[in-house]
């Protein structure tokens, strides 16, 4: 077949009335779905959970940071984290986010809704682009695009605003792979790979696994005519496309490689069988019923898979089209691919392959790939005259009905906390009304599909009626889910609209932008809405050194930083000056604050604000030092206060700065001696530590007296000043120790010492005023930029050669 220019082909696609139809229908349905919610929330698209507390504040906070020139490090992301590495997963690679940079800050929350509507329309459009190759009737490809765009996976993941970019680009990736292999079109795979990986590196890993399976299956079933030349060119484009993403992916990989969440690899029977039997039901039923709410599994309430993105229902048809296609006698790659993907879904180690074999958390965030193939099978079944729709509907209907009856009517004994029998309830679901509404939607969809099939299948109006049926069911099912989610907020939506959106300039407190705040029992990421530094954060990709630090306190920091009030010592260590208490909560009990040393300051919007009387400014010096080994000998619940009494250093550093720390080689040998072989004679300084609220107050006072006179966050780090009237010392900053930091003391580059497990300090001279500056630059970013530029040059040369070869061929043909 002819090698058609990719730009020309794209123009043809966009000019196609079918492509436009897929886009406009997706736009119409999503507008009807989301506009009422936008109107209800005064112009802002709101949902519940992560959508409200991550997507909206992340968009606005990083938008404002980039517009102000702060593109390297964010002081408002937990205790501080790199911008590039922390937000490449969420938004930095997204063209939709980049589009918001054209608008002022106050417009950003109001852009979320229109962007979401556009995303759904583009999902429908790009799915059509891929599907149209496999059917003669392009209206079927339009319908398939709608099935994909409004599938259970797509609606479930409204909760995660950034999951739809991968859904948009994935069909394009497959389309380009097909174009390369079927039509010999070169120069299309590399840009598709580049776009997929740049948009979201996590989802690209899953796309890569799927595409490998897809490609191998088509090769071994003789659908692709593979030659060595074609294979080498294909691999060249893939490698070039991946390498070109180095500017964003290379710094990110170096950053997340230290994240402890990535350390759990498959092992034992847990790699072969799910530990929760309900999970098998959960997976299977997710393809026969509309999607559940992300945080509230209803059919299998004890599945322990909240936010796992387990959903694959196709509106109107459910699994009927897939079953109908699988029952056809002809064997082909689509059937085999569906079977392979089902096996991958049911075996934990195979499922985890879509997220680089990380089994720490069960996720099914690759199901959109299966959904696209299911949509393909459905429209292929509709085009095939041999499909036995009565049989397929019976199978699909019986499975749906039996699952509904078994779960909805199964008796279950209920016991109290002491194990005593209380009563027997009917139904295994969590929420009975919601369960039966899901069942009703699923059964009504099948009934409507049956009417459409048997009444209109041989009619010229079939495609019109079928497409209308998809639109109607998509709107009914999705509206129910979206409106249910919109009412789960418990008043949070109203609070966010009234007190957080556009309120960053309303908090006028001294040093509010350069000291940290605590948000007690408040909406997650309230501080990000207000654009102020905080010790509270709900964010999955923060500095790994924050996680290491919390681990020493016996806290698993996975997706949230929310230190309990029992760890009041952290407020002094982390330079927390203000506390915001949601007026709907109570920070004061019996006249006393939850933590010592806090006094009421004033009300600001929906918050009561308290001031820390034991506040320690950022940048302070210790008079004692201990090793990591000695820290381990302190009870975990006391370590937050111990961190205020002595700086924790590595064994090497306490010896390196022995003049300050007082440690000797013999001390270290005694500290690290195996206590099972020899009694340790070394008496640690930590043995004299005294704890309690009064000691905490005194410790904070001592540190405050030896702290910086000024501290200010800058666009790429922070600056501080100190008048050290004592001896030489190490100046500590509770800023995460990440690769990429450079420190300067009085203009001279200084060594950064890792201290208190996850933070930084620098050496300063005694009896001297010092100006300290820390600057952050993403590690490997320059190298990544160079690699990207080189790849761009290689790609231009590659395309130029292709054009020259094509031109010569045309001349010879003349």
């Amino acid at each position: 077949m002819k090698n058609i220019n990719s730009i020309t082909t794209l123009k043809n696609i966009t000019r196609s009335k079918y492509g436009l139809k897929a886009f406009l229908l997706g736009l119409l349905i999503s507008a009807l779905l989301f506009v009422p919610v936008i109107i209800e929330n005064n112009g802002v698209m709101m949902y519940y959970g992560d959508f409200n507390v991550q997507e909206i504040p992340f968009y606005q906070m990083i938008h404002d940071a980039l517009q102000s020139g702060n593109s390297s490090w964010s002081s408002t992301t937990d205790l501080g984290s790199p911008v590039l590495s922390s937000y490449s997963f969420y938004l930095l690679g997204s063209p939709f986010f980049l589009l918001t940079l054209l608008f002022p800050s106050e417009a950003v929350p109001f852009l979320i809704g229109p962007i979401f509507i556009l995303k759904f329309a583009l999902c429908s459009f790009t799915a059509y682009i891929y599907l149209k190759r496999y059917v003669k009737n392009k209206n079927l490809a339009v319908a398939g695009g709608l099935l994909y765009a409004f599938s259970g996976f797509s609606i479930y993941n409204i909760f995660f605003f950034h999951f739809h970019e991968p859904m948009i680009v994935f069909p394009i990736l497959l389309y380009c792979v097909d174009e390369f292999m079927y039509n010999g079109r070169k120069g299309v795979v590399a840009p598709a790979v580049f776009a997929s990986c740049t948009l979201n590196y996590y989802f690209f890993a899953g796309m890569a696994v799927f595409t490998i399976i897809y490609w191998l299956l088509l090769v071994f079933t003789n659908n692709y005519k593979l030659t060595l030349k074609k294979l080498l060119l294909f691999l060249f484009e893939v490698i070039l496309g991946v390498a070109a993403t180095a500017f964003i992916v290379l710094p990110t990989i170096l950053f997340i490689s230290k994240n402890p969440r990535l350390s759990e690899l498959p092992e034992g029977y847990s790699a072969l069988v799910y530990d929760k039997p309900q999970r098998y039901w959960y997976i299977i039923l997710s393809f026969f019923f509309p999607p559940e709410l992300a945080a509230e599994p209803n059919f299998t309430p004890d599945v322990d898979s909240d936010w796992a993105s387990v959903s694959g229902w196709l509106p109107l048809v459910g699994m009927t089209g897939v079953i109908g296609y699988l029952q056809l006698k002809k064997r082909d790659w689509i059937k085999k691919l569906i079977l392979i993907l089902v096996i991958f879904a049911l075996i934990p180690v195979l499922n985890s392959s879509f997220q680089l074999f990380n089994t720490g958390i069960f996720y099914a965030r690759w199901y959109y790939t299966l959904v696209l193939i299911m949509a393909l099978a459905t429209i292929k079944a509709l085009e095939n005259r041999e499909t036995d729709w009565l049989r397929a509907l019976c199978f699909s209907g019986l499975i749906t009905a039996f699952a509904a009856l078994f779960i909805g009517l199964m008796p279950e004994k209920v016991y109290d906390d002491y194990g005593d029998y209380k009563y027997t309830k009917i139904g295994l679901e969590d929420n009975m009304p919601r369960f039966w509404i899901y069942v009703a939607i699923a059964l009504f969809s099948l009934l409507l599909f049956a009417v459409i099939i048997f009444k209109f299948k041989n009619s010229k109006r079939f495609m019109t009626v079928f497409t209308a049926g998809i639109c109607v069911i998509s709107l009914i099912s999705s509206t129910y889910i979206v409106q249910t989610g919109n009412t789960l907020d418990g008043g949070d939506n109203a609070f966010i609209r009234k007190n957080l959106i556009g309120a960053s300039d309303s908090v006028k407190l001294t040093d509010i932008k350069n000291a940290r705040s605590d948000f007690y029992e408040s909406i997650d990421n309230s501080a990000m809405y207000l654009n102020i530094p905080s010790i509270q954060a709900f964010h999955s990709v923060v500095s790994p050194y924050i996680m290491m630090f919390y681990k020493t306190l016996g806290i698993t920091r996975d997706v949230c930083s929310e230190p309990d009030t029992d760890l009041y010592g952290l407020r002094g260590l982390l330079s927390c000056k203000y506390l915001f208490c949601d007026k709907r909560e109570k920070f004061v009990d019996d006249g006393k604050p939850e933590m010592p040393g806090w006094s009421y300051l004033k009300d600001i919007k929906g918050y009561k604000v308290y001031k820390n009387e034991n506040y320690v400014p950022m940048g302070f010096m210790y008079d004692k030092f201990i090793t990591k080994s000695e820290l381990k000998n302190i009870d975990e619940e006391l370590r937050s206060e111990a961190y205020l009494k002595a700086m924790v250093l590595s064994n090497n550093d306490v010896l390196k700065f022995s003049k300050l720390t007082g440690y000797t080689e013999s001390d270290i040998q005694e500290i690290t001696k195996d206590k099972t072989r020899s009694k340790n004679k070394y008496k640690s300084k930590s043995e004299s530590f005294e704890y309690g609220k009064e000691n905490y107050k005194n410790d904070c006072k001592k540190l405050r007296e030896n702290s910086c006179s000024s501290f200010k966050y800058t666009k790429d780090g922070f600056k501080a000043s100190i008048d050290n009237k004592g001896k030489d010392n190490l100046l500590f900053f509770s800023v995460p120790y990440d690769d990429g930091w450079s420190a300067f003391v009085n203009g001279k580059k200084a060594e950064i010492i890792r201290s208190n497990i996850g933070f930084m300090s620098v050496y300063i001279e005694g009896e001297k005023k010092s100006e300290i500056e820390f600057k952050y630059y993403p590690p490997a970013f320059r190298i990544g930029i160079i690699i990207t530029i080189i790849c761009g040059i290689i790609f231009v040369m590659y395309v130029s050669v292709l054009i020259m070869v094509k031109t010569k061929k045309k001349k010879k043909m003349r």
Side-chain angles (χ1 to χ4, degrees):
M1 297 181 73
K2 287 199 296 183
N3 181 11
I4 304 169
N5 183 275
S6 57
I7 296 176
T8 305
T9 304
L10 183 60
K11 287 181 179 179
N12 291 337
I13 290 169
T14 53
R15 288 173 182 171
S16 165
K17 65 177 182 179
Y18 297 106
L20 182 63
K21 184 178 180 181
F23 177 81
L24 292 178
L25 283 174
L27 193 71
L28 175 63
I29 299 171
S30 56
L32 292 173
L33 175 61
F34 294 120
V35 167
V37 179
I38 294 170
I39 294 172
E40 184 180 344
N41 289 293
N42 299 334
V44 179
M45 170 61 199
M46 302 189 79
Y47 193 45
Y48 76 107
D50 290 22
F51 187 95
N52 292 347
V53 303
Q54 283 196 329
E55 312 300 350
I56 300 174
F58 286 3
Y59 251 63
Q60 183 150 37
M61 186 179 71
I62 300 303
H63 166 278
D64 294 352
L66 295 184
Q67 280 197 341
S68 65
N70 182 5
S71 60
S72 62
W73 187 76
S74 170
S75 62
T76 51
T77 300
D78 209 307
L79 301 178
S81 292
V83 172
L84 177 62
S85 304
S86 294
Y87 290 95
S88 54
F89 169 68
Y90 289 101
L91 49 81
L92 281 181
S94 169
F96 302 102
F97 168 73
L98 298 178
L99 182 66
T100 68
L101 295 177
L102 301 175
F103 297 85
S105 174
E106 56 270 17
V108 175
F110 299 94
L111 293 172
I112 299 293
I115 286 174
F116 220 2
I117 292 170
L118 179 60
K119 284 184 183 183
F120 273 80
L122 287 173
C123 279
S124 177
F125 173 65
T126 59
Y128 161 79
I129 291 175
Y130 169 71
L131 295 171
K132 70 184 181 68
R133 174 188 304 277
Y134 296 98
V135 287
K136 294 178 182 179
N137 186 343
K138 297 299 181 284
N139 277 314
L140 281 171
V142 172
L146 294 174
L147 291 175
Y148 176 74
F150 296 94
S151 64
F153 185 89
S154 184
I155 301 301
Y156 178 108
N157 288 298
I158 288 172
F159 193 79
F160 301 109
F161 182 71
H162 55 291
F163 281 22
H164 292 78
E165 279 95 331
M167 286 191 69
I168 293 170
V169 77
F170 173 65
I172 296 296
L173 176 63
L174 292 190
Y175 169 79
C176 291
V177 170
D178 282 355
E179 284 294 294
F180 186 97
M181 300 304 294
Y182 284 128
N183 296 343
R185 181 171 300 139
K186 302 172 185 68
V188 295
V189 172
V193 169
F194 172 80
S196 302
C197 193
T198 301
L199 271 177
N200 194 297
Y201 61 87
Y202 172 86
F203 279 92
F204 177 72
M207 288 185 206
V209 172
F210 176 90
T211 306
I212 290 169
I213 297 170
Y214 177 81
W215 186 83
L216 288 174
L217 187 61
L218 288 175
V219 168
F220 285 108
T221 54
N222 297 317
N223 283 275
Y224 285 156
K225 292 182 179 179
L226 187 65
T227 63
L228 180 60
K229 179 183 176 181
K230 187 179 284 189
L231 174 63
L232 292 175
L233 282 174
F234 181 78
L235 291 176
F236 168 75
E237 289 205 25
V238 170
I239 293 169
L240 186 65
V242 173
T245 66
F247 76 102
I248 190 171
V249 173
L250 184 58
T252 300
I253 289 175
L254 292 175
F255 180 77
I256 65 173
S257 62
K258 297 177 182 178
N259 191 319
R261 295 183 75 196
L262 303 180
S263 61
E264 298 187 46
L265 296 175
E267 62 176 348
Y269 264 102
S270 62
L272 303 177
V273 182
Y274 290 117
D275 58 348
K276 297 277 186 179
Q278 285 191 24
R279 192 164 290 166
Y280 291 100
W281 278 89
Y282 189 38
I283 292 169
I284 294 168
L285 296 180
S286 70
F287 293 95
F288 287 88
F289 293 91
E292 299 186 307
L293 294 164
E296 297 196 5
N298 193 22
F299 283 64
T300 52
D302 299 321
V303 71
D304 191 26
S305 298
D306 296 1
W307 314 291
S309 302
V310 180
S311 189
W313 185 70
L314 298 180
L316 181 66
V317 297
M319 287 293 290
T320 309
V322 175
I323 293 170
Y325 191 78
L326 293 175
Q327 290 175 345
L328 292 172
K329 293 180 181 180
K330 183 181 178 182
R331 295 182 179 180
D332 66 359
W333 65 270
I334 299 175
K335 290 183 180 181
K336 293 174 182 177
L337 182 56
I338 290 173
L339 178 61
I340 290 170
L341 294 178
V342 169
I343 292 171
F344 268 66
L346 297 177
I347 299 177
V349 64
L350 297 180
N351 180 77
S352 69
S353 67
F354 289 92
Q355 52 182 15
L356 299 180
F357 293 100
N358 179 26
T359 57
I361 302 176
F362 168 70
Y363 284 141
R365 293 177 175 176
W366 59 274
Y367 278 16
Y368 65 98
T369 63
L370 174 55
V371 166
L372 183 63
I373 302 304
M374 286 168 50
L376 173 58
T378 298
I379 61 175
K380 290 279 286 181
L382 286 165
E383 194 171 56
N384 195 314
R385 293 183 178 180
E386 295 181 6
T387 304
D388 188 340
W389 287 109
L390 178 60
R391 189 180 178 192
L393 278 162
C394 286
F395 266 94
S396 183
L398 286 173
I399 292 172
T400 304
F402 276 118
L405 292 174
F406 279 133
I407 294 174
L409 301 180
M410 181 68 69
E412 182 181 27
K413 292 181 180 179
V414 178
Y415 299 89
D416 61 22
D417 294 338
Y418 300 99
D420 296 327
Y421 171 78
K422 289 175 66 178
Y423 60 89
T424 298
K425 72 167 189 172
I426 301 299
L428 305 178
E429 70 280 357
D430 183 58
N431 184 303
M432 185 176 68
R434 194 182 302 161
F435 170 80
W436 288 110
I437 289 174
Y438 282 143
V439 171
I441 292 173
L443 292 176
F444 175 72
S445 297
L446 293 178
L447 178 61
L448 180 60
F449 181 58
V451 171
I452 293 171
I453 281 290
F454 295 120
K455 185 172 178 61
F456 296 97
K457 185 64 178 75
N458 298 318
S459 168
K460 293 181 179 179
R461 293 185 295 163
F462 171 73
M463 282 311 310
T464 301
V465 177
F466 177 62
T467 305
I470 294 174
C471 294
V472 170
I473 295 299
S474 295
L475 197 56
I476 292 173
S477 59
S478 301
T479 297
Y480 174 71
I481 293 158
V482 170
Q483 289 296 342
T484 302
N486 193 39
T487 59
L488 282 177
D489 68 308
D492 286 356
N493 283 10
F495 186 92
I496 291 171
R497 290 197 309 268
K498 183 178 179 182
N499 300 300
L500 295 178
I501 290 178
S504 59
D505 294 331
S506 64
V507 183
K508 301 184 184 300
L509 293 170
T510 306
D511 293 337
I512 190 65
K513 298 291 185 181
N514 294 303
R516 295 195 181 107
S517 296
D518 190 0
F519 281 76
Y520 176 84
E521 298 292 339
S522 295
I523 293 170
D524 288 332
N525 291 335
S526 295
M528 291 187 183
Y529 270 108
L530 300 174
N531 203 22
I532 58 177
S534 172
I535 66 171
Q536 307 273 354
F538 174 33
H539 192 302
S540 299
V541 196
V542 298
S543 168
Y545 290 94
I546 296 173
M547 302 178 185
M548 295 176 195
F549 168 72
Y550 276 115
K551 186 177 180 181
T552 66
L553 303 172
I555 299 172
T556 300
R557 199 291 182 196
D558 44 19
V559 296
C560 287
S561 292
E562 44 185 6
D564 193 80
T565 52
D566 290 342
L567 302 176
Y568 54 81
L570 286 185
R571 276 66 181 181
L573 177 73
L574 302 177
S575 299
C576 187
K577 189 172 185 178
Y578 300 104
L579 182 144
F580 290 71
C581 178
D582 187 329
K583 285 184 179 179
R584 297 173 295 178
E585 305 292 340
K586 285 186 178 182
F587 178 61
V588 175
D589 187 22
D590 292 332
K592 294 182 180 180
E594 287 284 322
M595 295 183 290
W598 292 88
S599 58
Y600 172 73
L601 187 63
K602 62 179 178 179
D603 284 9
I604 296 180
K605 287 213 161 188
Y607 294 95
K608 286 187 177 294
V609 182
Y610 295 80
K611 188 175 181 179
N612 188 3
E613 296 167 355
N614 296 315
Y615 168 64
V616 182
M618 287 284 283
F620 53 83
M621 297 180 295
Y622 290 86
D623 61 2
K624 291 187 180 69
F625 301 85
I626 61 173
T627 66
K628 292 180 182 179
S629 301
E630 292 171 282
L631 177 70
K632 291 178 182 178
N633 293 329
I634 301 172
D635 292 341
E636 287 181 343
E637 60 268 22
L638 298 175
R639 289 178 190 173
S640 67
E641 294 177 65
Y643 276 121
L644 294 167
K645 299 176 183 297
M647 180 185 288
V648 182
L649 295 173
S650 67
N651 291 347
N652 289 335
D653 284 336
V654 294
L655 288 177
K656 183 177 182 179
F657 297 99
S658 58
K659 290 183 179 179
L660 305 179
T661 64
Y663 282 80
T664 65
E665 288 279 3
S666 60
D667 291 336
I668 299 301
Q669 289 174 7
E670 287 292 330
I671 290 169
T672 57
K673 192 176 290 183
D674 188 342
K675 292 184 179 181
T676 61
R677 296 182 183 178
S678 172
K679 185 176 180 181
N680 196 321
K681 298 178 182 179
Y682 181 82
K683 186 175 182 180
S684 171
K685 295 171 189 173
S686 65
E687 293 178 30
S688 64
F689 290 170
E690 294 181 359
Y691 304 97
K693 295 178 181 179
E694 193 60 33
N695 286 294
Y696 162 65
K697 178 180 178 182
N698 293 332
D699 291 336
C700 290
K701 181 181 179 183
K702 185 188 295 185
L703 294 174
R704 187 163 55 248
E705 290 170 351
N706 294 282
S707 64
C708 290
S709 56
S710 69
F711 176 89
K712 183 179 181 180
Y713 289 113
T714 61
K715 290 182 179 180
D716 56 359
F718 57 91
K719 292 181 178 180
S721 301
I722 191 168
D723 184 3
N724 181 12
K725 297 179 180 179
K727 299 178 181 179
D728 295 357
N729 208 334
L730 297 180
L731 181 61
F732 170 78
F733 294 95
S734 58
V735 174
Y737 176 97
D738 286 304
D739 296 334
W741 282 109
S742 299
F744 303 86
V745 178
N746 293 325
K748 295 182 179 180
K749 192 166 185 179
E751 178 189 3
I752 299 174
I753 300 99
R754 182 175 165 187
S755 49
N756 288 349
I757 306 302
F759 302 110
M760 300 188 291
S761 60
V762 289
Y763 182 88
I764 61 168
E765 297 178 358
E767 303 295 337
K768 186 176 182 179
K769 292 183 178 179
S770 296
E771 298 294 328
I772 301 96
E773 184 174 12
F774 277 71
K775 293 183 178 181
Y776 183 84
Y777 191 85
F781 183 60
R782 287 190 181 93
I783 296 173
I785 289 287
I786 292 170
I787 294 172
T788 297
I789 292 172
I790 292 172
C791 289
I793 293 170
I794 292 173
F795 180 72
V796 170
M797 294 171 61
Y798 173 63
V799 172
S800 299
V801 171
L802 292 176
I803 292 172
M804 289 172 60
V805 171
K806 184 178 178 181
T807 303
K808 285 184 179 180
K809 285 183 178 180
K810 283 185 177 180
K811 287 182 178 179
K812 287 182 179 180
M813 291 176 67
R814 291 176 184 173

